[in-house]
Amino acid sequence: MDRSNWISAFLMQWLLMSVGSSPLSVVVYTSCKVGLPAVLPCSVASHFPSDLTPHIQWQTISDSVFERMGAELFQGESYKDRADVPEEQLVRGNCSLFLQDVRFSDAGIYKSYLVVGESSIKNRIFIQSVQLAVIDHKAIQSVMTGEDLILDLYTDQAEQVIFQNSSENDWTVLWERGAVKKSHLKERGNKLTLRKVSARSAGTYKVLDSEGLALSTVKVTVTEPVLPKETETLQIQSALGKATMSMPPLSLNALFLIFILMIQIN
């Protein structure tokens, strides 16, 4: 066995010891809310030998997700500009897959592999399976009459916001990406502001993607402003003063009777 083959065999044995022999039935479960970043965990060793350039692959059942060998990398079509295994972490044995702006279609089982061997003869060593679940956002908000309601769109995947009033069954389209904006709506970044809400703004808001799936559901209640104590006291005093001034004056007969009663008592 020449020296290059001996080194390759040694590295293969070292990698097998470092990775271990996790059975395919062992799956790590993780979850992420749609539109947020996700990390799919993976670890192979505390540190790679200095003369070894790690080569990592991530795949789903049907797609190639990501591949890195040193500075060279490949991203699957559905993961362009969203998937990465940072090189500086990979050389330290952290082969975790980082996904940005997670989509519902990203849900599923991912498998990681180490690729070893000469250019003509490659072997893949299975590391781990990770099952990713992608869930929507749910929230409850309360806003006072006359204030602004801010809805989080979370991601550029948001295409539409629909609204159902608390007292109605029908849904109405409140906002659509690229459409002419209504005067009471303000879009900035991934947030949508509804200006000066009224009692009719109470209800359910859904942010939908291009497939009509709900990225988020927000139940909104609208309350009346609470008056400060000083203002409330002044209003009560004012009301009492008006009531006193509106009382009719005593008649002469009533005054005469009061005068007679006072004389009898004395």
Side-chain angles (χ1 to χ4, degrees), residues 6-23:
W6 180 85
I7 293 174
S8 179
F10 171 78
L11 289 175
M12 174 72 78
Q13 184 65 28
W14 179 85
L15 287 168
L16 285 170
M17 292 175 63
S18 299
V19 173
S21 55
S22 302

Side-chain angles (χ1 to χ4, degrees), residues 144-192:
M144 289 191 293
T145 301
E147 291 187 343
D148 292 346
L149 170 64
I150 300 175
L151 295 175
D152 203 330
L153 302 177
Y154 294 103
T155 169
D156 290 340
Q157 299 172 52
E159 292 291 334
Q160 195 177 66
V161 174
I162 60 176
F163 169 67
Q164 183 187 59
N165 186 277
S166 299
S167 59
E168 299 174 1
N169 294 323
D170 295 332
W171 291 88
T172 58
V173 176
L174 190 66
W175 168 88
E176 285 185 298
R177 188 175 295 281
V180 177
K181 296 179 181 63
K182 298 176 182 178
S183 59
H184 67 292
L185 298 178
K186 181 181 178 182
E187 180 187 348
R188 186 174 183 179
N190 280 326
K191 294 186 183 297
L192 184 67

Side-chain angles (χ1 to χ4, degrees), residues 225-243:
V226 177
L227 294 171
K229 271 192 172 182
E230 292 182 2
T231 304
E232 188 177 357
T233 302
L234 287 173
Q235 286 190 346
I236 293 172
Q237 290 176 346
S238 175
L240 288 174
K242 288 179 180 178

Side-chain angles (χ1 to χ4, degrees), residues 94-105:
N94 184 351
C95 50
S96 299
L97 177 67
F98 291 77
L99 286 179
Q100 301 295 326
D101 193 21
V102 169
R103 305 168 182 173
F104 286 122
S105 58

Side-chain angles (χ1 to χ4, degrees), residues 3 9 85 100 118 121 123 127 134 158 177 197 199 234 243 252:
R3 188 171 185 276
V85 177
Q100 301 295 326
E118 300 299 323
I121 303 174
N123 292 289
I127 305 172
V134 182
R177 188 175 295 281
V197 301
L234 287 173
L252 290 175

Side-chain angles (χ1 to χ4, degrees), residues 164-264:
Q164 183 187 59
N165 186 277
S166 299
S167 59
E168 299 174 1
N169 294 323
D170 295 332
W171 291 88
T172 58
V173 176
L174 190 66
W175 168 88
E176 285 185 298
R177 188 175 295 281
V180 177
K181 296 179 181 63
K182 298 176 182 178
S183 59
H184 67 292
L185 298 178
K186 181 181 178 182
E187 180 187 348
R188 186 174 183 179
N190 280 326
K191 294 186 183 297
L192 184 67
T193 301
L194 286 72
R195 297 171 177 167
K196 298 182 178 179
V197 301
S198 65
R200 286 192 55 80
S201 302
T204 303
Y205 295 78
K206 286 182 180 287
V207 181
L208 308 180
D209 67 6
S210 59
E211 302 295 324
L213 299 175
L215 301 172
S216 73
T217 302
V218 184
K219 292 188 179 298
V220 174
T221 57
V222 178
T223 59
E224 292 297 326
V226 177
L227 294 171
K229 271 192 172 182
E230 292 182 2
T231 304
E232 188 177 357
T233 302
L234 287 173
Q235 286 190 346
I236 293 172
Q237 290 176 346
S238 175
L240 288 174
K242 288 179 180 178
T244 303
M245 291 178 65
S246 63
M247 291 177 65
L250 293 174
S251 64
L252 290 175
N253 289 335
L255 289 173
F256 179 75
L257 289 173
I258 292 171
F259 177 74
I260 295 298
L261 286 172
M262 290 180 66
I263 291 176
Q264 289 179 349

Side-chain angles (χ1 to χ4, degrees), residues 60-98:
T60 63
I61 295 174
S62 57
D63 295 317
S64 293
V65 178
F66 183 84
E67 187 171 348
R68 178 184 286 282
M69 184 176 180
E72 297 181 18
L73 60 85
F74 164 81
Q75 294 174 323
E77 187 64 32
S78 300
Y79 300 88
K80 287 289 186 183
D81 302 321
R82 297 196 303 121
D84 191 20
V85 177
E87 185 180 4
E88 64 276 11
Q89 296 191 29
L90 181 56
V91 296
R92 295 197 296 268
N94 184 351
C95 50
S96 299
L97 177 67
F98 291 77

